[in-house]
């Protein structure tokens, strides 16, 4: 009971109303970084945003990510791909979700919720076709994992939220000591500037406040009020990109 009350207190403590605008297209998942926008549809088609238009890329992915580590994705067979020279090349390993938001390193989780990351050198030099690449296995289990410039955040199958501090391009595992963060989320995303956003089981969106290099865990959650419910979010350059339950694409600020 005490834990439930704590979660409730954290998640209803503050709120902010966002102004959202629907744009063209339908996506099930989206990722944005440094002005780039990538997403996938319910049929696993891959799209990127150029100006005010969507351009389809070859291939099929269930999850795509863009960030300082490049453009990566995973397909329905959990095979890992990296966009190299305009084409997808397969990287060794299996992941169900992947994130390129770290400082030139990638991270993700597999089908058993094992957590992996790949340091900068291997991330940058991977060109496909390698028989093995040095994935690092982190302790614990998460169903979703996302990294930024100085910390990585994840949620487990119970909705608990964890942050990993001390991550660097050449030590993507960080301190290897998880810090439990009050609250409950279904998915979480860390932006290129370190901002943290997430969606809970009720399909409401929250922002973590007070996040900085000096305090990677932040100070509290703010509920972001908008029309309708959401299932996926990603933040970049002052704009929160939101995927609604109906796969509508919203830009909010």
């Amino acid at each position: 009971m005490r834990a439930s009350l704590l979660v409730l207190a954290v998640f209803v403590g503050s709120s902010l109303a966002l102004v959202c605008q629907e744009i063209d297209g339908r996506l099930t998942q989206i990722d944005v970084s440094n002005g780039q926008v990538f997403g996938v549809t319910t049929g696993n088609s891959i799209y990127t945003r150029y100006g005010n238009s969507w351009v389809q890329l070859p291939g099929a992915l269930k999850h795509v990510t863009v960030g300082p580590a490049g453009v990566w994705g995973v397909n329905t067979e959990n095979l890992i791909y990296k966009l190299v020279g305009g084409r997808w090349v397969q990287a060794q390993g299996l992941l169900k979700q992947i994130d390129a938001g770290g400082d030139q390193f990638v991270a993700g989780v597999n089908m058993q919720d094992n957590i992996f990351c790949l340091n900068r050198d291997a991330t940058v030099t991977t060109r496909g076709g390698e028989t093995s690449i040095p994935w690092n296995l982190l302790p614990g289990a998460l169903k979703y994992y996302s990294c930024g410039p100085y910390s990585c955040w994840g949620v487990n199958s119970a909705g608990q939220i964890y942050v990993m501090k001390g991550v660097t391009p050449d030590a993507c595992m960080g301190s290897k000591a998880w810090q439990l963060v009050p609250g409950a989320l279904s998915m979480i995303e860390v932006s290129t500037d370190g901002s943290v956003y997430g969606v809970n089981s009720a399909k409401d969106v929250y922002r973590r406040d007070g996040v900085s290099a000096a305090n990677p865990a932040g100070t509290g959650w703010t509920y972001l009020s908008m029309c309708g419910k959401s299932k996926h979010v990603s933040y970049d350059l002052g704009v929160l990109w939101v995927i609604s339950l109906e796969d509508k694409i919203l830009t909010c600020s």
Side-chain angles (χ1 to χ4, degrees):
M1 179 64 74
R2 181 176 299 176
S4 298
L5 290 176
L6 177 60
V7 171
L8 181 61
V10 170
F11 271 19
V12 300
S14 57
S15 63
L16 175 68
L18 295 185
V19 177
C20 298
Q21 177 180 358
E22 182 180 349
I23 65 172
D24 61 297
R26 291 288 187 274
L27 294 173
T28 57
Q29 181 260 328
I30 196 167
D31 201 34
V32 296
S33 175
N34 292 326
Q36 295 180 288
V37 182
F38 284 80
V40 295
T41 68
T42 185
N44 301 316
S45 297
I46 314 160
Y47 286 87
T48 187
R49 188 83 172 170
Y50 280 104
N52 294 320
S53 301
W54 291 105
V55 175
Q56 185 174 0
L57 278 67
L61 297 172
K62 66 176 180 179
H63 187 102
V64 67
T65 179
V66 58
V71 183
W72 295 66
V74 294
N75 68 9
T76 55
E77 297 177 341
N78 302 306
L79 299 175
I80 305 167
Y81 289 89
K82 180 184 180 182
L83 192 62
V84 178
R87 67 185 185 92
W88 295 105
V89 298
Q90 185 180 344
Q92 180 269 331
L94 294 170
L95 294 174
K96 67 177 179 180
Q97 177 259 327
I98 193 167
D99 187 85
D103 188 2
Q104 293 189 298
F105 69 88
V106 291
V109 296
N110 70 6
M111 302 73 70
Q112 291 77 40
D113 290 354
N114 296 316
I115 314 154
F116 294 88
C117 70
L118 192 64
N119 285 329
R120 172 173 52 188
D121 286 349
T123 295
V124 172
T125 58
T126 294
R127 290 292 182 268
E130 297 88 354
T131 55
S132 67
I133 53 179
W135 289 104
N136 299 288
L137 174 63
L138 281 75
L142 297 172
K143 68 174 183 178
Y144 202 102
Y145 194 49
S146 180
C147 295
Y150 38 74
S151 64
C152 296
W153 291 67
V155 295
N156 65 15
S157 59
Q160 293 175 306
I161 308 165
Y162 290 90
V163 60
M164 178 65 73
K165 302 177 183 178
V167 297
T168 68
D170 299 315
C172 62
M173 297 178 74
S175 67
K176 303 180 186 178
W178 295 106
Q179 178 179 335
L180 178 63
V181 177
L185 293 172
S186 298
M187 65 81 59
I188 197 164
E189 280 286 340
V190 187
S191 71
T192 305
D193 67 2
S195 301
V196 179
Y197 291 80
V199 180
N200 69 5
S201 59
K203 308 304 180 183
D204 294 321
V205 179
Y206 288 85
R207 180 190 70 200
R208 186 68 176 174
D209 298 322
V211 176
S212 66
N215 183 21
T219 56
W221 295 102
T222 291
Y223 165 65
L224 302 180
S225 174
M226 60 188 74
C227 296
K229 297 291 186 176
S230 309
K231 63 181 178 181
H232 201 94
V233 295
S234 188
Y235 178 83
D236 183 48
L237 301 177
V239 177
L240 182 67
W241 293 72
V242 179
I243 303 299
S244 74
L245 295 185
E246 301 79 25
D247 293 342
K248 296 178 181 178
I249 309 164
L250 307 174
T251 56
C252 305
S253 57

